[in-house]
Amino acid sequence: MSAHCQLTGSQPGFGNKISHSHRRTSRRFDPNIQRKRYWLPGEGRYVRLRLSAKAIKTVDVIGVEAAVARIRARGVKV
């Protein structure tokens, strides 16, 4: 799935677009996914992660090592 955050697991939500005449059509609410490259000092290499904007802020708080550990605990290969 392309619009999927590796850290938080957030994925698209679905709902309805409502026009001025109040007709409803399907729409998709995508999370704000960004590709970000981090240096992983424990492994001596860079990792490229697909993270939501909220997850990028989480990595800034907890650190990249802890974030990669959480991602691996979810079963995602990094």
Side-chain angles (χ1 to χ4, degrees):
M1 182 179 294
S2 60
H4 184 81
C5 177
Q6 290 180 315
L7 180 61
T8 62
S10 63
Q11 54 193 6
F14 296 90
N16 289 315
K17 200 182 312 183
I18 301 179
S19 70
H20 181 68
S21 64
H22 221 64
R23 292 177 69 96
R24 289 171 166 87
T25 54
S26 294
R27 66 158 293 178
R28 181 174 146 150
F29 297 91
D30 285 330
N32 186 5
I33 299 294
Q34 310 291 325
R35 284 178 59 108
K36 188 126 170 76
R37 194 175 90 152
Y38 289 101
W39 173 251
L40 204 55
E43 297 179 17
R45 69 183 183 104
Y46 284 99
V47 291
R48 192 175 298 270
L49 303 174
R50 292 181 52 84
L51 301 172
S52 62
K54 181 179 178 180
I56 290 172
K57 294 172 190 173
T58 302
V59 171
D60 291 343
V61 172
I62 68 173
V64 68
E65 295 279 347
V68 168
R70 284 189 194 180
I71 291 170
R72 287 182 175 148
R74 294 183 69 238
V76 178
K77 184 181 174 191
V78 176

